[in-house]
């Protein structure tokens, strides 16, 4: 049995059109919106992990 993952809540403000598109996209993928957002952020972080910080 897997150990439960501790989670933190985050709130984001999306414009109406983006929210609608995200909701439709997630539904077509049979996923929750939060899962789509988490996957996208994880991918972004993987791709940019060696990018120097902006000063």
């Amino acid at each position: 049995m897997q150990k439960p993952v501790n989670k933190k809540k985050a709130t984001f403000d999306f414009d109406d059109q983006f929210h609608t598109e995200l909701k439709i996209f997630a539904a077509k993928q049979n996923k929750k919106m939060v899962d789509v957002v988490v996957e996208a952020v994880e991918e972004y972080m993987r791709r940019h992990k060696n990018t120097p910080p902006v000063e």
Side-chain angles (χ1 to χ4, degrees):
M1 186 161 69
Q2 289 185 338
K3 182 179 175 183
V5 176
N6 293 331
K7 293 187 177 188
K8 295 284 186 177
K9 184 176 224 65
T11 302
F12 300 95
D13 293 321
F14 297 133
D15 66 50
D16 289 340
Q17 182 63 36
F18 181 78
H19 182 271
T20 300
E21 291 174 14
L22 175 59
K23 191 170 189 172
I24 292 168
F25 179 84
K28 286 181 177 179
Q29 300 294 316
N30 199 29
K31 295 181 179 182
K32 294 178 184 178
M33 288 172 51
V34 66
D35 294 332
V36 172
V37 172
V38 168
E39 287 176 15
V41 172
E42 288 174 341
E43 177 64 21
Y44 181 89
M45 290 172 63
R46 265 193 303 277
R47 288 183 180 195
H48 293 86
K49 68 182 175 185
N50 295 321
T51 302
V54 177
E55 292 187 29

